Amino acid sequence: MAVDEVAHLCFLGLIIAKPEYLHGGAGNRDTKKGVSATGFANILWLVNSAAFRPSRFNGLNMDRFRELRKTLAGSERVAQFCRENLRRVVHRDVMQALLFDQYDYMKRLRANGGAPDILYREKIAILIGTYVNDRVVAARLDFPDLKRDEVVAVTPRSMVEEAMMRKEGLIA
């Protein structure tokens, strides 16, 4: 079994571990053996170069993500994550992992007690693809393909965007 994380390909094969198909063992402490070039040619590939989707966590600083998971109450945690990941579209699974200890993690992404209330005066809005109006606003802010299971935190880049976001009630 092997994975190429850069090319997003996976491989799964079967081989009979005959001694002539293996190499190594004597030179390393745990006497582990590997498949030799001869052995490699004798693998029956069940899956060979199958593409898989990149991780939903690609591009995130995972050390910082783990640090955030250990700190703050739910809504404050989301607010800080949004401040640090402006304009990064993330899947709701990432938010669920961030809020692993919250019973209703999506509540922390909505107004009326959630992170949007904290970020409102900072001119940061959280757009959730589940909501049609948020997808419309996202499209006007250069996120035309915000999916139903995606979230993005945005701040206005111009006076026009700021006026539009204020009119929508997203920012102060």
Side-chain angles (χ1 to χ4, degrees):
M1 181 173 12
V3 173
D4 181 337
E5 291 186 29
V6 175
H8 299 102
L9 299 173
C10 62
F11 309 82
L12 176 67
L14 295 175
I15 184 171
I16 297 173
K18 295 180 178 181
E20 59 267 24
Y21 294 167
L22 305 176
H23 66 74
N28 50 31
R29 266 188 271 165
D30 59 5
T31 66
K32 212 175 359 184
K33 295 186 182 236
V35 178
S36 67
T38 304
F40 206 82
N42 289 287
I43 295 174
L44 170 64
W45 292 106
L46 304 174
V47 176
N48 192 356
S49 299
F52 65 90
R53 292 194 323 194
S55 168
R56 292 180 169 147
F57 294 85
N58 264 8
L60 289 177
N61 177 336
M62 291 309 294
D63 290 333
R64 178 63 180 143
F65 187 83
R66 288 183 197 95
E67 195 177 296
L68 276 175
R69 282 174 42 109
K70 296 177 189 174
T71 62
L72 310 170
S75 295
E76 288 84 7
R77 197 178 316 155
V78 171
Q80 188 57 38
F81 178 85
C82 289
R83 287 181 194 108
E84 295 176 15
N85 292 281
L86 286 171
R87 304 189 72 78
R88 178 189 297 271
V89 176
V90 296
H91 192 275
R92 65 188 294 157
D93 289 351
V94 172
M95 302 312 286
Q96 185 175 22
L98 179 68
L99 297 165
F100 69 100
D101 59 348
Q102 304 292 305
Y103 178 70
D104 181 6
Y105 75 97
M106 286 301 289
K107 181 178 182 350
R108 307 317 181 262
L109 297 169
R110 296 189 294 264
N112 297 324
D117 297 341
I118 297 168
L119 298 170
Y120 183 76
R121 297 223 176 274
E122 297 176 39
K123 296 182 182 174
I124 299 173
I126 299 173
L127 303 175
I128 304 171
T130 305
Y131 305 115
V132 173
N133 192 55
D134 282 8
R135 287 198 310 272
V136 169
V137 171
R140 291 165 66 190
L141 296 171
D142 294 330
F143 295 96
D145 297 322
L146 188 67
K147 310 247 183 321
R148 293 183 52 81
D149 53 2
E150 294 176 332
V151 175
V152 64
V154 293
T155 190
R157 296 174 299 175
S158 69
M159 298 293 273
V160 171
E161 287 184 355
E162 184 172 339
M164 182 267 298
M165 290 172 72
R166 187 172 287 116
K167 182 179 176 199
E168 292 292 334
L170 298 170
I171 60 173

